[in-house]
Amino acid sequence: MTSNISLEELSLCGSPYKIYQDKSKFCFGIDAVLLADYAKGIHGKKICDLCTGNGIIPILLAGIIKAQEIHGIELQKDIADLAKESVTLNNLNDRIKIFEGNLKDATSILEKNTYDAVTVNPPYMKNDSTVKENPISIARQEIHCTLEDVIKSSADLLKSNGKFFMIHRPNRLGEIFILLEKYNLGARRIRLVQPKKNKKPTMVLLEAEKCLHPELIVEPALTVYKDSGIYTEEINEIYRRN
């Protein structure tokens, strides 16, 4: 491995594992941790994580839930290979399998209508054609997949009543709800994430269910930092740092 590769302890979210990260490329952040925690109520044995990156969400989920089949799809070969290395390092090959490919082709890689849950931390921003394509811009912008691709592929993979979990930007909620309806995913709950109390939310956590359209529950906002700049008690609880 190159000098850019580091080994990180994952003593968070109840996960006792380690993960390789390439510091020269896109590394996981709090959004992945929040999504894994938001999906901790998943029931069922078969889970898929789209845009899996270095495998952070499958590895976190392996420490949180009992699912025996956790699959991840990652477009970039070197990052997918790094995820596979982390899976092997943690002796999780019997539970986690990483696939290289574009999530738009998910049903040619994985079996359609078979997953109990799909998680995804996708690119948040629409493609800016002036930005040079590189591992970081691919992770942040919709260069190789759009929001519609993400929601369509998730719906295709899920079985009836399967759960969809996503973290995204609040300014795209209107588009998200339209696409959920288009692909027969009923929004169950959302939770806005704000950096500090009374600050504008910067992220939104969302759960939907295939073939079900319940009343939407809007949960109290999650605040990341106190005014002092340290994590709130709830974030510490999610990270298990207390």
mmCIF file of all heavy atoms in Angstrom, residues 106-141:
data_model
loop_
_atom_site.group_PDB
_atom_site.id
_atom_site.type_symbol
_atom_site.label_atom_id
_atom_site.label_comp_id
_atom_site.label_asym_id
_atom_site.label_seq_id
_atom_site.Cartn_x
_atom_site.Cartn_y
_atom_site.Cartn_z
ATOM 1 N N ALA A 106 -26.844 -1.646 -11.114
ATOM 2 C CA ALA A 106 -26.943 -2.471 -9.907
ATOM 3 C C ALA A 106 -27.649 -3.798 -10.150
ATOM 4 O O ALA A 106 -27.221 -4.847 -9.647
ATOM 5 C CB ALA A 106 -27.662 -1.699 -8.803
ATOM 6 N N THR A 107 -28.727 -3.785 -10.933
ATOM 7 C CA THR A 107 -29.490 -5.021 -11.108
ATOM 8 C C THR A 107 -28.832 -5.985 -12.093
ATOM 9 O O THR A 107 -29.292 -7.119 -12.244
ATOM 10 C CB THR A 107 -30.933 -4.726 -11.551
ATOM 11 O OG1 THR A 107 -30.919 -3.912 -12.737
ATOM 12 C CG2 THR A 107 -31.688 -4.003 -10.446
ATOM 13 N N SER A 108 -27.755 -5.544 -12.756
ATOM 14 C CA SER A 108 -26.975 -6.494 -13.557
ATOM 15 C C SER A 108 -25.843 -7.093 -12.731
ATOM 16 O O SER A 108 -25.206 -8.069 -13.139
ATOM 17 C CB SER A 108 -26.409 -5.804 -14.812
ATOM 18 O OG SER A 108 -25.448 -4.819 -14.447
ATOM 19 N N ILE A 109 -25.607 -6.490 -11.553
ATOM 20 C CA ILE A 109 -24.575 -6.980 -10.633
ATOM 21 C C ILE A 109 -25.202 -7.794 -9.509
ATOM 22 O O ILE A 109 -24.685 -8.843 -9.108
ATOM 23 C CB ILE A 109 -23.791 -5.788 -10.041
ATOM 24 C CG1 ILE A 109 -23.126 -4.964 -11.148
ATOM 25 C CG2 ILE A 109 -22.733 -6.268 -9.036
ATOM 26 C CD1 ILE A 109 -22.544 -3.634 -10.666
ATOM 27 N N LEU A 110 -26.344 -7.320 -9.027
ATOM 28 C CA LEU A 110 -27.031 -7.930 -7.892
ATOM 29 C C LEU A 110 -28.456 -8.308 -8.288
ATOM 30 O O LEU A 110 -28.990 -7.811 -9.275
ATOM 31 C CB LEU A 110 -27.062 -6.950 -6.709
ATOM 32 C CG LEU A 110 -25.707 -6.414 -6.247
ATOM 33 C CD1 LEU A 110 -25.893 -5.321 -5.207
ATOM 34 C CD2 LEU A 110 -24.843 -7.538 -5.684
ATOM 35 N N GLU A 111 -29.079 -9.155 -7.486
ATOM 36 C CA GLU A 111 -30.408 -9.668 -7.816
ATOM 37 C C GLU A 111 -31.489 -8.644 -7.470
ATOM 38 O O GLU A 111 -31.523 -8.088 -6.372
ATOM 39 C CB GLU A 111 -30.653 -10.970 -7.063
ATOM 40 C CG GLU A 111 -31.872 -11.729 -7.543
ATOM 41 C CD GLU A 111 -32.020 -13.089 -6.880
ATOM 42 O OE1 GLU A 111 -31.130 -13.462 -6.097
ATOM 43 O OE2 GLU A 111 -33.040 -13.742 -7.137
ATOM 44 N N LYS A 112 -32.380 -8.436 -8.420
ATOM 45 C CA LYS A 112 -33.449 -7.457 -8.278
ATOM 46 C C LYS A 112 -34.504 -7.919 -7.261
ATOM 47 O O LYS A 112 -34.748 -9.110 -7.100
ATOM 48 C CB LYS A 112 -34.101 -7.245 -9.648
ATOM 49 C CG LYS A 112 -35.053 -6.074 -9.749
ATOM 50 C CD LYS A 112 -35.515 -5.896 -11.199
ATOM 51 C CE LYS A 112 -36.447 -4.694 -11.327
ATOM 52 N NZ LYS A 112 -36.877 -4.503 -12.734
ATOM 53 N N ASN A 113 -35.104 -6.959 -6.562
ATOM 54 C CA ASN A 113 -36.241 -7.210 -5.656
ATOM 55 C C ASN A 113 -35.930 -8.209 -4.541
ATOM 56 O O ASN A 113 -36.801 -8.992 -4.141
ATOM 57 C CB ASN A 113 -37.469 -7.718 -6.442
ATOM 58 C CG ASN A 113 -37.938 -6.735 -7.500
ATOM 59 O OD1 ASN A 113 -37.893 -5.532 -7.299
ATOM 60 N ND2 ASN A 113 -38.370 -7.260 -8.629
ATOM 61 N N THR A 114 -34.710 -8.186 -4.020
ATOM 62 C CA THR A 114 -34.331 -9.184 -3.007
ATOM 63 C C THR A 114 -33.789 -8.598 -1.714
ATOM 64 O O THR A 114 -33.568 -9.339 -0.752
ATOM 65 C CB THR A 114 -33.273 -10.158 -3.569
ATOM 66 O OG1 THR A 114 -32.107 -9.425 -3.929
ATOM 67 C CG2 THR A 114 -33.802 -10.919 -4.773
ATOM 68 N N TYR A 115 -33.582 -7.279 -1.663
ATOM 69 C CA TYR A 115 -32.905 -6.692 -0.503
ATOM 70 C C TYR A 115 -33.903 -6.166 0.529
ATOM 71 O O TYR A 115 -34.903 -5.542 0.196
ATOM 72 C CB TYR A 115 -31.943 -5.582 -0.948
ATOM 73 C CG TYR A 115 -30.708 -6.147 -1.593
ATOM 74 C CD1 TYR A 115 -30.706 -6.496 -2.935
ATOM 75 C CD2 TYR A 115 -29.565 -6.399 -0.844
ATOM 76 C CE1 TYR A 115 -29.588 -7.071 -3.530
ATOM 77 C CE2 TYR A 115 -28.434 -6.960 -1.431
ATOM 78 C CZ TYR A 115 -28.453 -7.299 -2.758
ATOM 79 O OH TYR A 115 -27.344 -7.880 -3.344
ATOM 80 N N ASP A 116 -33.589 -6.448 1.786
ATOM 81 C CA ASP A 116 -34.424 -5.962 2.890
ATOM 82 C C ASP A 116 -34.210 -4.476 3.133
ATOM 83 O O ASP A 116 -35.107 -3.792 3.636
ATOM 84 C CB ASP A 116 -34.104 -6.740 4.167
ATOM 85 C CG ASP A 116 -34.427 -8.217 4.031
ATOM 86 O OD1 ASP A 116 -35.619 -8.544 3.907
ATOM 87 O OD2 ASP A 116 -33.490 -9.038 4.031
ATOM 88 N N ALA A 117 -33.034 -3.971 2.799
ATOM 89 C CA ALA A 117 -32.741 -2.549 2.987
ATOM 90 C C ALA A 117 -31.629 -2.120 2.052
ATOM 91 O O ALA A 117 -30.744 -2.916 1.705
ATOM 92 C CB ALA A 117 -32.361 -2.256 4.436
ATOM 93 N N VAL A 118 -31.682 -0.858 1.650
ATOM 94 C CA VAL A 118 -30.616 -0.218 0.875
ATOM 95 C C VAL A 118 -30.230 1.057 1.596
ATOM 96 O O VAL A 118 -31.096 1.841 2.010
ATOM 97 C CB VAL A 118 -31.071 0.105 -0.567
ATOM 98 C CG1 VAL A 118 -30.026 0.970 -1.272
ATOM 99 C CG2 VAL A 118 -31.315 -1.168 -1.354
ATOM 100 N N THR A 119 -28.931 1.269 1.760
ATOM 101 C CA THR A 119 -28.411 2.516 2.318
ATOM 102 C C THR A 119 -27.587 3.218 1.252
ATOM 103 O O THR A 119 -26.986 2.569 0.393
ATOM 104 C CB THR A 119 -27.531 2.263 3.558
ATOM 105 O OG1 THR A 119 -26.433 1.407 3.190
ATOM 106 C CG2 THR A 119 -28.322 1.597 4.680
ATOM 107 N N VAL A 120 -27.549 4.546 1.328
ATOM 108 C CA VAL A 120 -26.723 5.271 0.353
ATOM 109 C C VAL A 120 -26.372 6.656 0.873
ATOM 110 O O VAL A 120 -27.218 7.382 1.384
ATOM 111 C CB VAL A 120 -27.428 5.363 -1.030
ATOM 112 C CG1 VAL A 120 -28.767 6.062 -0.926
ATOM 113 C CG2 VAL A 120 -26.544 6.067 -2.054
ATOM 114 N N ASN A 121 -25.100 6.976 0.760
ATOM 115 C CA ASN A 121 -24.572 8.321 1.010
ATOM 116 C C ASN A 121 -24.032 8.804 -0.337
ATOM 117 O O ASN A 121 -22.848 8.647 -0.636
ATOM 118 C CB ASN A 121 -23.474 8.259 2.069
ATOM 119 C CG ASN A 121 -22.861 9.609 2.376
ATOM 120 O OD1 ASN A 121 -23.363 10.639 1.952
ATOM 121 N ND2 ASN A 121 -21.760 9.606 3.101
ATOM 122 N N PRO A 122 -24.895 9.368 -1.180
ATOM 123 C CA PRO A 122 -24.526 9.626 -2.575
ATOM 124 C C PRO A 122 -23.833 10.973 -2.760
ATOM 125 O O PRO A 122 -23.734 11.764 -1.814
ATOM 126 C CB PRO A 122 -25.899 9.652 -3.264
ATOM 127 C CG PRO A 122 -26.786 10.285 -2.233
ATOM 128 C CD PRO A 122 -26.277 9.763 -0.891
ATOM 129 N N PRO A 123 -23.380 11.255 -3.978
ATOM 130 C CA PRO A 123 -22.909 12.615 -4.275
ATOM 131 C C PRO A 123 -24.046 13.597 -4.033
ATOM 132 O O PRO A 123 -25.178 13.354 -4.453
ATOM 133 C CB PRO A 123 -22.540 12.543 -5.760
ATOM 134 C CG PRO A 123 -22.318 11.096 -6.035
ATOM 135 C CD PRO A 123 -23.257 10.361 -5.143
ATOM 136 N N TYR A 124 -23.767 14.699 -3.359
ATOM 137 C CA TYR A 124 -24.812 15.652 -2.992
ATOM 138 C C TYR A 124 -25.091 16.699 -4.065
ATOM 139 O O TYR A 124 -26.182 17.243 -4.131
ATOM 140 C CB TYR A 124 -24.411 16.398 -1.710
ATOM 141 C CG TYR A 124 -24.337 15.563 -0.458
ATOM 142 C CD1 TYR A 124 -23.521 15.964 0.601
ATOM 143 C CD2 TYR A 124 -25.065 14.393 -0.309
ATOM 144 C CE1 TYR A 124 -23.441 15.231 1.768
ATOM 145 C CE2 TYR A 124 -24.989 13.637 0.848
ATOM 146 C CZ TYR A 124 -24.178 14.060 1.896
ATOM 147 O OH TYR A 124 -24.103 13.326 3.043
ATOM 148 N N MET A 125 -24.082 17.005 -4.864
ATOM 149 C CA MET A 125 -24.182 18.157 -5.759
ATOM 150 C C MET A 125 -24.378 17.741 -7.212
ATOM 151 O O MET A 125 -23.809 16.744 -7.664
ATOM 152 C CB MET A 125 -22.915 19.011 -5.639
ATOM 153 C CG MET A 125 -22.731 19.611 -4.264
ATOM 154 S SD MET A 125 -21.185 20.573 -4.119
ATOM 155 C CE MET A 125 -19.965 19.256 -4.069
ATOM 156 N N LYS A 126 -25.179 18.519 -7.931
ATOM 157 C CA LYS A 126 -25.343 18.279 -9.358
ATOM 158 C C LYS A 126 -24.015 18.531 -10.073
ATOM 159 O O LYS A 126 -23.181 19.287 -9.599
ATOM 160 C CB LYS A 126 -26.443 19.175 -9.916
ATOM 161 C CG LYS A 126 -27.817 18.818 -9.351
ATOM 162 C CD LYS A 126 -28.927 19.588 -10.026
ATOM 163 C CE LYS A 126 -30.280 19.150 -9.474
ATOM 164 N NZ LYS A 126 -31.404 19.829 -10.166
ATOM 165 N N ASN A 127 -23.853 17.868 -11.191
ATOM 166 C CA ASN A 127 -22.577 17.919 -11.893
ATOM 167 C C ASN A 127 -22.260 19.313 -12.408
ATOM 168 O O ASN A 127 -23.089 19.979 -13.025
ATOM 169 C CB ASN A 127 -22.597 16.930 -13.067
ATOM 170 C CG ASN A 127 -21.252 16.825 -13.754
ATOM 171 O OD1 ASN A 127 -20.219 17.111 -13.150
ATOM 172 N ND2 ASN A 127 -21.258 16.413 -15.011
ATOM 173 N N ASP A 128 -21.054 19.762 -12.117
ATOM 174 C CA ASP A 128 -20.523 21.018 -12.645
ATOM 175 C C ASP A 128 -19.484 20.642 -13.695
ATOM 176 O O ASP A 128 -18.402 20.168 -13.363
ATOM 177 C CB ASP A 128 -19.900 21.839 -11.516
ATOM 178 C CG ASP A 128 -19.339 23.173 -11.997
ATOM 179 O OD1 ASP A 128 -19.239 23.367 -13.225
ATOM 180 O OD2 ASP A 128 -18.979 24.001 -11.141
ATOM 181 N N SER A 129 -19.822 20.864 -14.948
ATOM 182 C CA SER A 129 -18.960 20.412 -16.045
ATOM 183 C C SER A 129 -17.607 21.120 -16.060
ATOM 184 O O SER A 129 -16.689 20.686 -16.755
ATOM 185 C CB SER A 129 -19.669 20.613 -17.386
ATOM 186 O OG SER A 129 -19.997 21.980 -17.565
ATOM 187 N N THR A 130 -17.481 22.199 -15.295
ATOM 188 C CA THR A 130 -16.210 22.924 -15.268
ATOM 189 C C THR A 130 -15.220 22.305 -14.278
ATOM 190 O O THR A 130 -14.038 22.656 -14.272
ATOM 191 C CB THR A 130 -16.423 24.402 -14.889
ATOM 192 O OG1 THR A 130 -16.915 24.483 -13.538
ATOM 193 C CG2 THR A 130 -17.424 25.056 -15.830
ATOM 194 N N VAL A 131 -15.701 21.399 -13.420
ATOM 195 C CA VAL A 131 -14.852 20.781 -12.402
ATOM 196 C C VAL A 131 -14.141 19.573 -12.987
ATOM 197 O O VAL A 131 -14.758 18.726 -13.648
ATOM 198 C CB VAL A 131 -15.684 20.374 -11.170
ATOM 199 C CG1 VAL A 131 -14.831 19.584 -10.178
ATOM 200 C CG2 VAL A 131 -16.263 21.608 -10.490
ATOM 201 N N LYS A 132 -12.857 19.465 -12.750
ATOM 202 C CA LYS A 132 -12.072 18.342 -13.248
ATOM 203 C C LYS A 132 -12.478 17.051 -12.543
ATOM 204 O O LYS A 132 -12.642 17.024 -11.325
ATOM 205 C CB LYS A 132 -10.577 18.611 -13.023
ATOM 206 C CG LYS A 132 -9.671 17.523 -13.577
ATOM 207 C CD LYS A 132 -8.208 17.876 -13.356
ATOM 208 C CE LYS A 132 -7.300 16.779 -13.899
ATOM 209 N NZ LYS A 132 -5.861 17.099 -13.684
ATOM 210 N N GLU A 133 -12.621 15.986 -13.312
ATOM 211 C CA GLU A 133 -13.004 14.695 -12.739
ATOM 212 C C GLU A 133 -11.820 14.075 -11.987
ATOM 213 O O GLU A 133 -10.737 13.905 -12.549
ATOM 214 C CB GLU A 133 -13.485 13.748 -13.829
ATOM 215 C CG GLU A 133 -13.956 12.407 -13.297
ATOM 216 C CD GLU A 133 -14.581 11.532 -14.356
ATOM 217 O OE1 GLU A 133 -15.148 12.086 -15.327
ATOM 218 O OE2 GLU A 133 -14.498 10.297 -14.229
ATOM 219 N N ASN A 134 -12.029 13.766 -10.730
ATOM 220 C CA ASN A 134 -11.036 13.095 -9.891
ATOM 221 C C ASN A 134 -11.779 12.353 -8.792
ATOM 222 O O ASN A 134 -13.009 12.484 -8.682
ATOM 223 C CB ASN A 134 -10.034 14.115 -9.319
ATOM 224 C CG ASN A 134 -10.712 15.213 -8.525
ATOM 225 O OD1 ASN A 134 -11.457 14.941 -7.589
ATOM 226 N ND2 ASN A 134 -10.469 16.469 -8.894
ATOM 227 N N PRO A 135 -11.097 11.544 -7.976
ATOM 228 C CA PRO A 135 -11.810 10.760 -6.964
ATOM 229 C C PRO A 135 -12.676 11.584 -6.028
ATOM 230 O O PRO A 135 -13.761 11.143 -5.625
ATOM 231 C CB PRO A 135 -10.671 10.069 -6.207
ATOM 232 C CG PRO A 135 -9.586 9.924 -7.216
ATOM 233 C CD PRO A 135 -9.668 11.181 -8.043
ATOM 234 N N ILE A 136 -12.244 12.788 -5.679
ATOM 235 C CA ILE A 136 -13.025 13.612 -4.760
ATOM 236 C C ILE A 136 -14.247 14.204 -5.462
ATOM 237 O O ILE A 136 -15.359 14.180 -4.918
ATOM 238 C CB ILE A 136 -12.148 14.713 -4.142
ATOM 239 C CG1 ILE A 136 -11.094 14.080 -3.219
ATOM 240 C CG2 ILE A 136 -12.992 15.721 -3.364
ATOM 241 C CD1 ILE A 136 -10.120 15.062 -2.604
ATOM 242 N N SER A 137 -14.075 14.715 -6.678
ATOM 243 C CA SER A 137 -15.227 15.283 -7.389
ATOM 244 C C SER A 137 -16.249 14.197 -7.732
ATOM 245 O O SER A 137 -17.456 14.447 -7.716
ATOM 246 C CB SER A 137 -14.783 16.017 -8.650
ATOM 247 O OG SER A 137 -14.197 15.142 -9.595
ATOM 248 N N ILE A 138 -15.799 12.984 -8.017
ATOM 249 C CA ILE A 138 -16.720 11.873 -8.287
ATOM 250 C C ILE A 138 -17.566 11.567 -7.057
ATOM 251 O O ILE A 138 -18.759 11.276 -7.157
ATOM 252 C CB ILE A 138 -15.944 10.627 -8.745
ATOM 253 C CG1 ILE A 138 -15.382 10.846 -10.157
ATOM 254 C CG2 ILE A 138 -16.831 9.377 -8.724
ATOM 255 C CD1 ILE A 138 -14.424 9.774 -10.609
ATOM 256 N N ALA A 139 -16.956 11.639 -5.881
ATOM 257 C CA ALA A 139 -17.687 11.360 -4.640
ATOM 258 C C ALA A 139 -18.659 12.476 -4.286
ATOM 259 O O ALA A 139 -19.694 12.223 -3.662
ATOM 260 C CB ALA A 139 -16.702 11.151 -3.491
ATOM 261 N N ARG A 140 -18.345 13.701 -4.682
ATOM 262 C CA ARG A 140 -19.161 14.850 -4.273
ATOM 263 C C ARG A 140 -20.205 15.271 -5.293
ATOM 264 O O ARG A 140 -21.230 15.838 -4.936
ATOM 265 C CB ARG A 140 -18.241 16.049 -3.989
ATOM 266 C CG ARG A 140 -17.414 15.899 -2.725
ATOM 267 C CD ARG A 140 -16.475 17.075 -2.550
ATOM 268 N NE ARG A 140 -15.794 17.044 -1.256
ATOM 269 C CZ ARG A 140 -14.773 17.817 -0.927
ATOM 270 N NH1 ARG A 140 -14.316 18.680 -1.807
ATOM 271 N NH2 ARG A 140 -14.222 17.728 0.271
ATOM 272 N N GLN A 141 -19.937 15.033 -6.579
ATOM 273 C CA GLN A 141 -20.818 15.528 -7.629
ATOM 274 C C GLN A 141 -21.406 14.387 -8.457
ATOM 275 O O GLN A 141 -20.811 13.320 -8.567
ATOM 276 C CB GLN A 141 -20.067 16.497 -8.547
ATOM 277 C CG GLN A 141 -19.588 17.746 -7.818
ATOM 278 C CD GLN A 141 -19.075 18.795 -8.791
ATOM 279 O OE1 GLN A 141 -19.279 18.714 -9.997
ATOM 280 N NE2 GLN A 141 -18.403 19.802 -8.254
#
